[in-house]
Amino acid sequence: SASAGAGSGRGRTGRNLPVAIASGVVFGLVALGCLVAGPLATCLLAVVVLTLAAAEAYGALQRAGYRPATLLGLAATAGIVLAGYLAGVAALPLVLAATVVLSFLWYLFGAGRGSAVVGVATTLLPVAWIGLLGSFAGLLLAPSIFPDRHGVAFFLGVLVAVVGADVGGLAVGSTLGRHRLAPEVSPGKSWEGVLGGAVLAVVLSALVTSHVHPWTVGSATALGGVAAVLAPLGDLCESLIKRDLGLKDMGGLLPGHGGLLDRFDGALFVLPAAYYLVRVLHVG
């Protein structure tokens, strides 16, 4: 009932909003501390978050009856992010190729049970989705690619834009949402929420990110526009996977938000676009 939802602090999304806000603030402070510490600390935080997100994905697949090579997938996820940070773009296909070969060998020599086809496929899905897309965090932060701590500014820009898209989408969608965006995939998302998230992503990027060197108003606004489109798509694609697996959340590591993957699904789609945006626009 509406009264029960109000008394429990839960909004129309079904989330416990006070808990969600508190956990979000705590994580934000940790992220801010790593950003101040520099590229390496921020990259290590990204590695931890992405590896835990991959663990959530593998756990969800296991609960659905699949038998992926979880340890291999987790090692590959962490490895590809670190490889991007330490060795640049050239390291990514090497890690991916090694992961594909090792996945086949995992089932060839009997380390994995069940169907080899399904096992290899479910092993590679989180690596490609979370590891490969997340590896662009390592590339953005790599001092060899972006010196003078510019990578920290680029990564911060992604966080600001994605948070804007998420918060704007939640605030507008929960209060004004009437027209369902994709009812068969995610019934709670609305076109009004997407529009609200898009506006806030662009506004925050223009007002906040533009003041962080080497961003400019134009490049920061462009990043906000990219996040306005891609962050909701990343969210919907995760919802597609959860619906197929019969899940509401991927995990429960982030109180009030569900799992880490539930919170950073949009960022996975924005990170590669942000990397190529700063290269094409020659930011910095």
Side-chain angles (χ1 to χ4, degrees), residues 28-42 45 141 149 152-153 156:
L29 291 174
V30 172
L32 182 61
C34 290
L35 287 165
V36 171
L40 178 58
T42 307
L45 175 64
L141 292 163
R149 293 174 62 99
V152 173
L156 175 63

Side-chain angles (χ1 to χ4, degrees), residues 15-277:
R15 302 293 186 193
N16 189 317
L17 294 183
V19 172
I21 292 171
S23 62
V25 168
V26 170
F27 185 87
L29 291 174
V30 172
L32 182 61
C34 290
L35 287 165
V36 171
L40 178 58
T42 307
C43 182
L44 292 177
L45 175 64
V47 169
V48 171
V49 169
L50 291 167
T51 304
L52 290 175
E56 292 176 343
Y58 283 117
L61 290 169
Q62 290 170 348
R63 291 194 299 274
Y66 299 105
R67 297 181 180 273
T70 298
L71 291 179
L72 175 60
L74 294 178
T77 299
I80 197 169
V81 180
L82 286 173
Y85 179 83
L86 295 173
V89 177
L92 304 189
L94 174 61
V95 176
L96 280 178
T99 305
V100 172
V101 172
L102 290 173
S103 296
F104 279 106
L105 296 181
W106 185 278
Y107 292 92
L108 177 63
F109 292 108
R113 294 176 293 172
S115 167
V117 172
V118 175
V120 170
T122 53
T123 298
L124 296 179
L125 173 60
V127 174
W129 175 23
I130 302 167
L132 178 60
L133 297 183
S135 69
F136 284 86
L139 293 177
L140 281 172
L141 292 163
S144 61
I145 303 176
F146 302 114
D148 303 320
R149 293 174 62 99
H150 286 179
V152 173
F154 298 150
F155 191 77
L156 175 63
V158 172
L159 294 181
V160 169
V162 172
V163 167
D166 284 350
V167 172
L170 175 63
V172 176
S174 61
T175 55
L176 302 176
R178 296 294 182 271
H179 300 87
R180 299 301 97 186
L181 176 63
E184 294 185 359
V185 176
S186 184
K189 294 179 177 60
S190 66
W191 283 104
E192 292 85 355
V194 171
L195 180 59
V199 171
L200 191 57
V202 172
V203 169
L204 282 182
S205 296
L207 295 180
V208 177
T209 304
S210 63
H211 293 288
V212 181
H213 181 75
W215 289 107
T216 63
V217 173
S219 60
T221 302
L223 175 64
V226 167
V229 175
L230 293 180
L233 289 176
D235 197 349
L236 278 177
C237 288
E238 197 224 7
S239 295
L240 180 69
I241 298 297
K242 289 191 294 186
R243 188 173 184 84
D244 192 59
L245 297 177
L247 300 173
K248 181 181 184 295
D249 294 320
M250 279 290 186
L253 289 176
L254 204 57
H257 295 272
L260 287 169
L261 185 54
D262 296 305
R263 192 71 282 128
F264 296 105
D265 47 8
L268 291 174
F269 276 39
V270 177
L271 282 168
Y275 172 81
Y276 288 108
L277 178 71

